[in-house]
Amino acid sequence: MMKKRLLAFLLVLVMMLPAIALADSAESGTLQFGMEGAEILALQTRLEELGYYKNGLDGKFGNGVLTAVKQFQRNNGLTVDGKVGPITKAKIYSSDAVDVPTVEASKTLAFGASGELVKELQRQLRATYYYAGKIDGIFGAEVSRAVKGFQASVGLTADGKVGPATRNALYNRAAKIFNGGIPVRALSAGYRGYDVYVLQQKLVSLNYLSITPSGFYGEDTVAAVKAFQKANGLTADGRAGAVIRRYLWPTTVNNQEEQENQEQGTVDDPYKDRTIKSGSYGKDVANAQMRLKAAGYLLGNADGIFGVKTKAAVIALQKDYNLKQDGIVGPSTWAVIKTLNVSNAEPDVVDPEEPSVGANVVRIERGDKGARVTKLQQQLIQLGYLPAGEDDGKFGRKTENAVRKFQKDQGIKVDGIAGTQTFVRLNEVLGVQWDVPVG
């Protein structure tokens, strides 16, 4: 009874309220991408009730509504065009509209799965250009590769499994796949995906590519990228890495960034600060991390600590640009890093006025006493290097031996002194920030 009343209310709402839609669209006509108004609000409400839409009720026919409409059309045996014409509209507001199978949709899909949910996954992967195989409901190797490619493009762990996070990103790709509308993956021949499609659109708009964007990085796209690289004095290898993305989508810098460029150098006059590597910390590390993160090389926070993840990100960047792959950020690597887009990077870097781990901690060694020793001992106890109850704030033989064991396990200098490298490793292992200053 309640459902019938809701349906009746929505129908009345659609009939009575004027639609503020596109200028060339008649009221109560076909609803489509770009429209706004009461009819769209009613549509969002109904799609939300059926489980297809979860992006908020704002009366705007955006990417979320478009995806929801297409999914509804597929599940209800209608033509999948993303437009709400008379037939789709009648079905949406009917009492026999097929809703989202909520319980089944929450299942994690992985290699070897089969059935209708896998078919829906294949359709969505095909719609986003990651998959070009059959819609047969079989989660095989080709589907697994497509899922991994998609996960890599949105910054998820590329494990090939479709759980809630992957499913949510897949159906909301326009909001999550790019950094400010810019592809984050390094793309090359053979890649498929929505980010390839956007790259192709950009090349078409610049008259380097004449084919219709397909989402597949084939010979035509390689040739177009090479032509663009040659025209801009770049290495013409046909690969779309961070440098070419920087040229295709120039960063809009703010006044603070412009001031930093004057103080620290530009692309043509490379960054003049110190060389950073494993064990380094502070503002310049955070700056590099922010740029590596914005370009898709680094996951996690820009915390100002140069650890194993940051080194791996630097090596990946160096590999992309044919630099020496040593994980050290010197002048040549800084020159590339400074080209990476940061205009839409998340504001999660360390405070420049509050340097990261080790900036205030010189070293803690045998004979020291106090709160900083207690904290160190508690962390060593947590990791099993000291017995419980040994956090007495006195750096004695047992604490020194515990530090030595930890240093040996971490592959750093074994001296029993807790210095910068030891604190960096503790932070990486425990996921904490050592912030107790030396008195």
Side-chain angles (χ1 to χ4, degrees), residues 70-301:
K70 287 183 177 181
Q71 188 182 4
F72 175 85
Q73 290 171 326
R74 279 193 292 268
N75 287 0
N76 285 269
L78 304 174
T79 300
V80 182
D81 59 6
K83 299 178 181 179
V84 183
I87 296 177
T88 297
K89 185 181 296 183
K91 189 66 175 179
I92 285 176
Y93 292 107
S94 70
S95 59
D96 62 346
V98 176
D99 60 6
V100 173
T102 307
V103 176
E104 288 190 5
S106 66
K107 293 180 180 178
T108 295
L109 299 176
F111 185 85
S114 60
E116 289 302 316
L117 288 178
V118 177
K119 283 186 178 180
E120 173 59 26
L121 170 65
Q122 290 172 322
R123 293 188 186 102
Q124 189 65 10
L125 287 168
R126 177 179 284 183
T128 52
Y129 305 100
Y130 290 89
Y131 179 69
K134 296 179 180 179
I135 308 299
D136 56 8
I138 300 173
F139 199 127
E142 192 171 357
V143 175
S144 182
R145 284 194 296 271
V147 171
K148 288 179 180 179
F150 172 77
Q151 290 170 324
S153 74
V154 296
L156 296 173
T157 300
D159 58 6
K161 298 178 181 179
V162 182
T166 298
R167 185 177 290 107
N168 181 58
L170 187 59
Y171 282 95
N172 295 278
R173 64 187 184 280
K176 301 191 177 189
I177 196 169
F178 302 125
N179 170 45
I182 303 171
V184 299
R185 288 193 299 174
L187 303 170
S188 57
Y191 273 55
R192 291 185 181 277
Y194 195 47
D195 44 3
V196 176
Y197 175 80
V198 170
L199 169 67
Q200 291 172 326
Q201 283 187 316
K202 188 68 172 181
L203 291 169
V204 168
S205 72
L206 297 173
N207 296 318
Y208 285 94
L209 185 65
S210 59
I211 65 169
T212 300
S214 64
F216 176 69
Y217 204 120
E219 293 181 0
D220 290 321
T221 304
V222 171
V225 170
K226 285 183 177 179
F228 180 86
Q229 290 169 323
K230 288 180 181 178
N232 287 274
L234 304 173
T235 301
D237 58 6
R239 303 173 67 223
V243 167
I244 189 174
R245 292 198 302 270
R246 172 69 175 81
Y247 277 77
L248 287 168
W249 291 277
T251 302
T252 301
V253 297
N254 57 33
N255 291 335
Q256 180 180 352
E257 289 170 341
E258 290 175 353
Q259 181 64 32
E260 288 181 355
N261 283 338
Q262 294 175 5
E263 295 174 356
Q264 301 169 346
T266 64
V267 177
D268 298 321
D269 182 16
Y271 196 92
K272 292 183 171 62
D273 214 329
R274 61 175 180 144
T275 294
I276 57 175
K277 56 185 178 179
S278 293
S280 298
Y281 53 84
K283 177 182 175 181
D284 42 7
V285 175
N287 179 50
Q289 289 173 322
M290 180 175 64
R291 294 175 180 275
L292 289 166
K293 180 180 176 182
Y297 288 98
L298 179 67
L299 300 179
N301 293 337

Side-chain angles (χ1 to χ4, degrees), residues 256 260 263 282-284 286 349-356 359-360:
Q256 180 180 352
E260 288 181 355
E263 295 174 356
K283 177 182 175 181
D284 42 7
V349 298
V350 294
D351 185 341
E353 302 303 320
E354 295 292 337
S356 297
N360 295 320

Side-chain angles (χ1 to χ4, degrees), residues 395-425:
F395 199 124
R397 178 178 56 81
K398 290 183 179 179
T399 302
E400 182 181 50
N401 288 338
V403 170
R404 287 180 179 276
K405 291 177 182 178
F406 175 78
Q407 291 170 329
K408 183 178 180 180
D409 287 348
Q410 293 298 311
I412 58 179
K413 182 180 179 180
V414 180
D415 58 7
I417 299 172
T420 299
Q421 278 196 321
T422 301
F423 294 125
V424 167
R425 294 295 189 181

